[in-house]
Amino acid sequence: MEKREDLRSILQYLPLVAQSSSLVWPPSVEEELQTMSRGPSESMVNSGERLALHMKNMKRSLSLNPSDLADYELKGYALYFDKKISREESAKFFDEVVPALCGLLLQLPSMLETHYQNAEHVLDGITSGLRLLGPQEAGIVFLSQELIAALLACSFFCLFPEVGRGLKHLQRINFDELFVLPSMHHCSKQENKIRCLINYFGRICRCMPTGFVSFERKILPLEHHPGYISYPEADYWAKSITPLCSVEIHTSGAIEDQPREALEVDFADEYFGGLTLSYDTLQEEIRFVINPELIAGMIFLPRMDANEAIEIVGVERFSRYTGYGPSFQYAGDYTDKKGLDIFRRRKTRVIAIDALPGPGITQYKLDALLREVNKAFTGYLHQCKYRMDASLRIPLETDTNPSSYTHSERPDPLPSASLRQVVESSQRWCIDHEEIIGVATGNWGCGVFGGDPELKIMLQWLAVSQSGRPFMSYYTFGLQSLQNINQVIERVTMQELTVGDLWNKVVEYCEERFIRKTRLGFFSWLITSLSA
C-alpha cells in the first residue's frame, strides 16, 4: 500500500499510518473510537465539553499539537451542543450520531484500502485514486460517498494533521475554527453553517448514500500548440466568429435550484472552499454547507492558478436555507431527487472558478479582461475527459462534443503518431456521455470581490458561447445594476453579434473606462454604441 504513488502524496495529510501493507489508526486513537462507538453510557461523551476533551486526547495520540484545539475552541463545542441547541437535539446527537461517526471512522482504513484497490478500474486504467492533485496537474479523483463521509467525520473530530498543508497551498480542513462561536448573540451565520453540517452527519448516519463523486482539476495549457486549444490571447477572442448562445435571465431563485440540467457555477476563491470552515458566509460557503461533500475536495486540492478550474460531479444536497451573508439560515432537511449517471454520480455538476479579488479600476485593463474570460472559458469548456497524461491537451475541434465522433470521423489535429495513439486509447472512456448542457451562473466576483457586474456578465456570456455550451441561465439575485440586462441582450441578439464582435466592444469600452474617457456603465455605453 505505502508504495503507491497516489497514497504517498496524501498520506502525510491523513490521520492514519502505514503499517506493512495496511493502513491503521494508532492504537490509542482506535481505542478512543471504539469506546465512543459504544455510546455515551460507556464513553460518557454526552456533551460538547466532553466531546472536545476526547478530541484533544486523540490529537495527542496522533502526535498532533493538542494546543491547536485551544480553550476558546473547546468552549465553542460546549456552547453549540450544550447551550445553543435543545437538550433533545443534543441528546440525540450524542446517543446516535457520535457513536455512528466513530464506527464509520473505525472502517476508514479498510475503506481506503478498498478504494486504492479499485482506483485503477473505475476509469479503465486511468488514475482516479485519492491523492494530492496540485496546480498544473490535470487529473481526476473518484470517491464514494461513504468514503467522503468518513473523511468529513475526521474533519469534525479535528483529526487531520495541519502541519505542512500551508506549504502545499492547502486549506485548513478541520472543523475547530468553525466552532469558534464568539458570542451567543453574534454568531448566527456561523451557527447555521454548523446546523447544515450536523444535519448532513445525521442523515448519513441514518442512511449511508451509495453513490460516487468525482473531483477534476481542469487546465487550459499556457504553452502554445497549433493542434490544441491553449490559454487564448486577445486575438483569439477578437477574431472569433462563434455565435453568441441564448441567455435566460432570472431575477429571483438560486443557481442550485435551476430547473434545467446545467453546469452550476461556484463563485470560488482561488483556494477551493474559501472560507467554508471559518467565520464568513459567502455564496461559495453556502454551497459547500448545503452540499457538504464538496468540502472533501479541500483535503487534496490546492489553490487554483489562473488557467485552472475544478469540476465536481455527483455531490448530493442535504439542507435547505434562506438568506445570504449575515441573513443566512438553515431551513431544514432537503431530499435530493436528481438522477444518477452511469458512474453512479448524482447529476449535479459544479464548476469552481475564482475571480480577481478587489480589482478596482485595473479590471478594465486588457490583461485583467483576458484573465477573467479565460478563467471562465477553462471552466465552461466542454470536453471528453481524456487520460490525464502530461502530453494531452484539449483537441481544437469545430464540434465541441468529441464523444459524438467515431474514431474514423474524428478530426485529426494531432501532429504526431505518438500523441494520436494516446488520444485514441483514451477514447475508451468518456465521462460526459450526455448531450452538452448549458451553464447556470450569476454575479461572479461582483460581491465582496468588487467586480463590475455589467462587465462580468458579458465576459461570462463570451466564455459560455465560445465553449460551445447552448445556453446561459443567469441569476441576478435582484442586483439593481442589472435591471436592464434583458434589453441589452435583445439588442445584441438583434444585431447578430458574434463572440468576436462583443469582445471587441468590451475591449473598446474598457479602454475608454480605464482612461476615464467615459463614466457610463457598459450597458448604457453599448446601447449608445450600437445605435451609432
Side-chain angles (χ1 to χ4, degrees):
M1 280 288 292
E2 66 271 20
K3 294 181 180 179
R4 295 186 59 103
E5 185 177 345
D6 46 10
L7 175 58
R8 284 205 313 271
S9 74
I10 196 71
L11 186 57
Q12 66 176 304
Y13 305 111
L14 297 177
L16 306 176
V17 293
Q19 189 178 86
S20 183
S21 60
S22 301
L23 294 172
V24 297
W25 286 105
S28 52
V29 175
E30 185 172 5
E31 185 178 342
E32 284 272 2
L33 292 172
Q34 289 279 11
T35 301
M36 286 195 289
S37 72
R38 291 191 281 269
S41 60
E42 183 166 333
S43 67
M44 304 303 292
V45 177
N46 55 11
S47 68
E49 186 175 358
R50 296 286 302 178
L51 174 64
L53 289 172
H54 279 261
M55 288 160 54
K56 201 166 186 176
N57 290 339
M58 288 192 287
K59 287 176 77 72
R60 187 177 290 110
S61 300
L62 287 165
S63 300
L64 306 177
N65 185 1
S67 66
D68 287 347
L69 204 63
D71 287 342
Y72 62 88
E73 289 158 332
L74 292 174
K75 289 176 183 175
Y77 279 89
L79 177 62
Y80 181 80
F81 289 108
D82 305 339
K83 299 288 178 66
K84 191 59 184 173
I85 62 177
S86 69
R87 290 185 179 181
E88 290 76 19
E89 286 179 283
S90 182
K92 186 173 183 179
F93 182 79
F94 290 108
D95 286 346
E96 300 175 11
V97 179
V98 168
L101 290 180
C102 292
L104 184 64
L105 284 176
L106 289 168
Q107 299 173 48
L108 178 59
S110 62
M111 273 194 277
L112 277 170
E113 289 177 18
T114 301
H115 165 76
Y116 285 114
Q117 288 167 7
N118 296 334
E120 306 307 323
H121 308 295
V122 175
L123 297 173
D124 193 18
I126 308 305
T127 300
S128 65
L130 176 62
R131 64 195 184 280
L132 193 66
L133 203 55
Q136 305 305 313
E137 291 182 44
I140 193 166
V141 170
F142 257 77
L143 302 176
S144 71
Q145 288 183 279
E146 184 179 32
L147 178 54
I148 289 174
L151 293 171
L152 295 185
C154 286
S155 293
F156 175 76
F157 288 110
C158 301
L159 300 180
F160 282 111
E162 298 283 5
V163 175
R165 289 184 63 85
L167 295 175
K168 289 290 187 178
H169 306 292
L170 289 161
Q171 290 271 64
R172 286 178 61 91
I173 191 60
N174 289 326
F175 285 5
D176 47 1
E177 189 176 341
L178 184 64
F179 276 87
V180 179
L181 303 175
S183 164
M184 289 286 286
H185 302 292
H186 300 287
C187 59
S188 175
K189 60 184 179 181
Q190 189 103 338
E191 170 201 324
N192 280 280
K193 286 164 71 171
I194 295 173
R195 282 184 178 274
C196 289
L197 296 172
I198 295 302
N199 179 61
Y200 163 75
F201 285 125
R203 280 276 302 278
I204 58 101
C205 288
R206 290 193 298 274
C207 181
M208 181 63 69
T210 58
F212 288 83
V213 179
S214 65
F215 300 80
E216 181 187 3
R217 186 180 286 271
K218 299 170 67 173
I219 298 174
L220 204 56
L222 296 174
E223 67 273 15
H224 175 70
H225 192 288
Y228 300 92
I229 296 176
S230 57
Y231 196 77
E233 300 294 338
D235 249 15
Y236 174 89
W237 295 101
K239 295 177 180 178
S240 172
I241 59 172
T242 302
L244 292 166
C245 70
S246 65
V247 181
E248 305 166 355
I249 299 298
H250 305 272
T251 56
S252 61
I255 292 170
E256 63 271 13
D257 293 324
Q258 49 84 31
R260 300 176 65 179
E261 191 172 348
L263 191 66
E264 300 170 8
V265 179
D266 168 42
F267 308 149
D269 189 285
E270 64 176 336
Y271 288 91
F272 183 71
L275 301 173
T276 300
L277 301 182
S278 63
Y279 305 112
D280 218 334
T281 313
L282 307 177
Q283 193 64 25
E284 177 184 23
E285 285 70 58
I286 291 175
R287 192 64 199 262
F288 274 60
V289 294
I290 64 172
N291 294 86
E293 290 159 338
L294 288 168
I295 296 172
M298 296 169 64
I299 297 170
F300 57 90
L301 290 168
R303 75 179 183 197
M304 288 180 277
D305 288 338
N307 63 326
E308 299 182 320
I310 293 170
E311 184 173 342
I312 311 94
V313 183
V315 289
E316 185 172 347
R317 181 174 169 186
F318 290 87
S319 296
R320 301 179 185 276
Y321 74 95
T322 60
Y324 176 78
S327 65
F328 169 73
Q329 286 194 325
Y330 167 69
D333 191 44
Y334 180 88
T335 301
D336 197 328
K337 296 181 180 178
K338 287 191 177 180
L340 304 179
D341 66 11
I342 63 169
F343 292 94
R344 289 169 56 201
R345 301 174 303 176
R346 201 164 292 274
K347 289 186 177 180
T348 297
R349 298 166 178 82
V350 178
I351 189 72
I353 52 173
D354 56 302
L356 287 170
I361 190 65
T362 62
Q363 67 186 295
Y364 302 107
K365 296 180 70 174
L366 182 60
D367 59 348
L369 294 177
L370 275 172
R371 191 273 182 197
E372 298 296 77
V373 76
N374 286 343
K375 168 64 76 164
F377 186 50
T378 303
Y380 302 161
L381 197 62
H382 180 89
Q383 67 201 65
C384 190
K385 310 299 194 294
Y386 295 134
R387 187 184 343 202
M388 302 302 177
D389 295 70
S391 59
L392 277 181
R393 295 296 179 258
I394 301 162
L396 182 57
E397 298 170 344
T398 55
D399 189 319
T400 53
N401 187 3
S403 61
S404 65
Y405 288 103
T406 64
H407 285 242
S408 60
E409 294 171 331
R410 179 179 294 276
D412 187 6
L414 302 173
S416 68
S418 59
L419 275 179
R420 185 179 300 110
Q421 289 168 0
V422 174
V423 173
E424 286 178 352
S425 65
S426 299
Q427 289 168 6
R428 289 178 297 180
W429 72 282
C430 180
I431 294 178
D432 290 338
H433 289 279
E434 78 288 341
E435 293 182 4
I436 304 174
I437 58 176
V439 173
T441 186
N443 307 323
W444 172 54
C446 299
V448 294
F449 275 33
D452 180 338
E454 297 181 34
L455 182 60
K456 281 293 174 63
I457 187 173
M458 294 295 128
L459 292 175
Q460 290 195 80
W461 193 8
L462 291 168
V464 174
S465 302
Q466 190 66 23
S467 68
R469 301 279 178 179
F471 68 87
M472 177 173 76
S473 285
Y474 195 94
Y475 290 78
T476 67
F477 300 99
L479 197 64
Q480 189 69 18
S481 60
L482 298 181
Q483 61 180 333
N484 296 325
I485 181 60
N486 279 313
Q487 177 187 347
V488 175
I489 292 169
E490 184 179 349
R491 191 62 177 271
V492 169
T493 303
M494 281 176 56
Q495 300 220 2
E496 298 182 344
L497 298 190
T498 64
V499 166
D501 294 332
L502 183 56
W503 167 261
N504 291 327
K505 289 292 184 184
V506 167
V507 171
E508 183 184 351
Y509 165 77
C510 287
E511 288 173 348
E512 293 187 13
R513 181 69 182 266
F514 186 72
I515 63 174
R516 293 180 169 80
K517 182 179 177 181
T518 182
R519 295 185 180 275
L520 292 174
F522 179 69
F523 291 173
S524 298
W525 181 93
L526 181 63
I527 293 297
T528 303
S529 174
L530 294 177
S531 298

